[in-house]
Structures are given as structure tokens and as C-alpha cells.
Amino acid sequence: GDTFQWKGETCSTREIEDAINPVAPNGIHEVTVYGVQVANSPGRAVMASIVVDRETIQNFDFREFYKSACKNLADFQRPMFLRLKTKIQVTSTFKHKKEELRKQGFDPSRIRDPLFVVDEK
């Protein structure tokens, strides 16, 4: 899996995905994690894109999901951004294509999917 730095720690995308998947409620089919640039911050923040069915998108309870996911993650591993998608592009070997997701980051002018942001205050 990929790794990146956040809050002075090394984040493993596979480790975070493995912690989130077991607590994912019904209607969530896939989770992919990657690091995104945040202005004036060293390293990359944790962002997760989650593949859900259309019904789940309309009824998604971000707070409950986040609370469950965080039980198994250290502070620096917790997603700061969560994007809901109905599909994630994959390679011919079924690996998630994360490069475009990284480039889009959490910029609402570049994405049309529902986006949640954690307010750490």
C-alpha cells in the first residue's frame, strides 16, 4: 500500500482502509484512502473515498460512520475528508486509481460528489 506523512507520522493507506472496512455500514462497498495537500500544512491529510449505493448517499450518517471508524485509528490516521462515490476507477488488476482522486483533493469546484470535512475544533 501507499504511505504518506501527516502530523509528523507515517500513514499507511492499507492500514487505514483495513480499519475502516469492518465498521462500514451496509450500503458501503469499497473504501480507498489517500493523502491530499492542505494549504499551510506539512505533509498530506488523510482523505477517504467510499463507494456507496445511491440510496446510501442520500441517507449517509457521517457522524456515526466517523465515530465508528475512529475507534480503530490513531489521531493522525483519521480521515479529515470523506468523499462519497458510486464508483472508483480501477486498473486492469483491480487496484484503485488514486492519482486523479489525489489531484482533485477536497476542492468542491473540481468534484461533484458529496464531500464531508472534519472540523477538529
Side-chain angles (χ1 to χ4, degrees):
D2 302 331
T3 61
F4 58 91
Q5 295 291 309
W6 180 241
K7 296 185 177 181
E9 301 282 350
T10 300
C11 295
S12 163
T13 58
R14 171 66 68 197
E15 192 174 302
I16 297 169
E17 290 164 356
D18 288 348
I20 292 174
N21 274 318
V23 299
N26 290 335
I28 292 182
H29 306 289
E30 294 178 74
V31 175
T32 193
V33 172
Y34 45 97
V36 294
Q37 289 292 139
V38 176
N40 302 317
S41 294
R44 296 178 176 269
V46 180
M47 183 163 179
S49 284
I50 299 178
V51 176
V52 297
D53 52 45
R54 292 194 189 284
E55 184 177 296
T56 301
I57 284 178
Q58 295 177 358
N59 301 313
F60 189 76
D61 185 342
F62 173 74
R63 288 174 200 230
E64 188 58 37
F65 170 80
Y66 191 76
K67 190 169 101 179
S68 296
C70 288
K71 288 179 184 177
N72 300 318
L73 296 170
D75 287 347
F76 70 91
Q77 294 175 309
R78 294 176 180 166
M80 186 174 217
F81 306 98
L82 180 66
R83 181 177 178 179
L84 301 183
K85 299 183 66 60
T86 55
K87 182 179 181 181
I88 293 178
Q89 298 294 323
V90 294
T91 66
S92 60
T93 57
F94 303 105
K95 293 182 181 178
H96 291 147
K97 290 185 176 182
K98 297 181 182 184
E99 188 58 34
E100 187 60 27
L101 296 171
R102 278 189 205 101
K103 286 179 186 175
Q104 293 170 347
F106 54 93
D107 182 351
S109 70
R110 298 189 70 193
I111 60 175
R112 295 176 188 224
D113 304 311
L115 178 66
F116 296 88
V117 179
V118 174
D119 182 357
E120 293 183 329
K121 295 177 183 176

